Amino acid sequence: DVKVTQSSRYLVKRTGEKVFLECVQDMDHENMFWYRQDPGLGLRLIYFSYDVKMKEKGDIPEGYSVSREKKERFSLILESASTNQTSMYLCASSGALASGNTIYFGEGSWLTVV
Amino acid sequence: RKEVEQDPGPFNVPEGATVAFNCTYSNSASQSFFWYRQDCRKEPKLLMSVYSSGNEDGRFTAQLNRASQYISLLIRDSKLSDSATYLCVVIYNNNDMRFGAGTRLTVKP
């Protein structure tokens, strides 16, 4: 069974803390994505990566960075957490999208910044 | 204008009803399309792909209209378990995809 695993499901962090969200996929996918989802706003792309050590900004990269040192792992980093980064964070992975490959999501990481 | 737009709903329908959602997209170069289902506080999961010729999976029918740049999802004989948010996804190229904000459906007894 295919799997995208987000290791931290629920986190509470203080303003200014550095936060790491880890995502691992076991499908040898080239593409990995980080989204945040907020009520009424849908899924918003933060960063994506189409290969090891490659990264591209999405629509809302400010306040975030990412790391992809290995193909299976894509990490999202909040350098200095702020209350407006309280959200659900979803990691996704896929093969080449234009070939009709399915996008698989992790279960989500619920982050509260106080 | 958003690249992918959906009516947010909510759609409240009785069991057994037929309900349809539309999703419009702005980029005519879009290559492929999907419908995803998302339950409350869960991750989105693939419901079905959308093909140019239209496709059916049980009570669900998906259609694509390239000329008018929209896709649709029809659910027949709605069940309580169909209550969820339905997201349309538009693929532009190998690593660029856009999600609609989702349409919320509640099926009531």
Side-chain angles (χ1 to χ4, degrees):
Chain A
D1 201 14
V2 297
K3 210 145 175 71
V4 179
T5 303
Q6 293 181 234
S7 52
S8 301
R9 294 295 316 280
Y10 302 96
L11 307 94
V12 179
K13 297 291 182 180
R14 295 192 181 279
T15 300
E17 276 194 81
K18 193 168 185 176
V19 181
F20 291 88
L21 298 179
E22 302 285 343
C23 176
V24 177
Q25 51 98 0
D26 64 1
M27 295 162 282
D28 201 34
H29 283 162
E30 300 91 354
N31 296 322
M32 296 189 75
F33 307 85
W34 273 106
Y35 291 89
R36 63 177 284 178
Q37 188 174 33
D38 302 286
L41 297 177
L43 285 160
R44 292 184 291 166
L45 181 64
I46 305 171
Y47 268 95
F48 70 96
S49 169
Y50 54 88
D51 202 351
V52 176
K53 297 192 186 295
M54 305 301 290
K55 59 185 179 184
E56 294 285 342
K57 291 181 180 179
D59 300 318
I60 51 163
E62 296 79 18
Y64 303 94
S65 62
V66 289
S67 172
R68 193 161 180 205
E69 295 297 317
K70 294 185 178 180
K71 192 175 185 179
E72 67 270 21
R73 187 179 299 268
F74 192 36
S75 304
L76 180 69
I77 304 148
L78 287 67
E79 294 290 342
S80 177
S82 62
T83 54
N84 64 12
Q85 292 179 310
T86 292
S87 186
M88 181 171 84
Y89 290 86
L90 282 162
C91 175
S93 75
S94 76
L97 292 169
S99 303
N101 284 295
T102 302
I103 306 140
Y104 294 93
F105 286 87
E107 292 181 306
S109 297
W110 295 85
L111 172 66
T112 301
V113 183
V114 298
Chain B
R1 184 186 169 198
K2 291 181 182 177
E3 292 189 53
V4 180
E5 293 202 61
Q6 292 183 252
D7 182 342
F11 284 64
N12 297 310
V13 303
E15 270 188 293
T18 296
V19 61
F21 312 133
N22 280 343
C23 171
T24 59
Y25 59 95
S26 59
N27 189 333
S28 59
S30 302
Q31 298 194 14
S32 52
F33 309 86
F34 300 90
W35 282 103
Y36 272 68
R37 171 196 168 123
Q38 186 174 24
D39 293 299
C40 188
R41 299 183 69 84
K42 298 283 190 180
E43 75 275 23
K45 291 185 179 178
L46 178 67
L47 178 66
M48 58 197 305
S49 304
V50 186
Y51 303 120
S52 297
S53 54
N55 49 301
E56 193 172 303
D57 183 2
R59 298 181 292 108
F60 298 83
T61 301
Q63 294 203 306
L64 166 65
N65 185 319
R66 282 196 183 271
S68 301
Q69 293 183 204
Y70 74 87
I71 63 173
S72 63
L73 178 68
L74 180 78
I75 305 174
R76 290 181 298 278
D77 188 23
S78 299
K79 311 290 184 193
L80 296 176
S81 57
D82 294 335
S83 297
T85 296
Y86 292 85
L87 305 169
C88 66
V89 185
V90 177
I91 308 299
Y92 291 148
N93 55 45
N94 272 336
N95 49 41
D96 189 4
M97 58 184 172
R98 301 287 159 166
F99 285 84
T103 298
R104 190 152 60 94
L105 170 67
T106 301
V107 181
K108 301 192 171 183

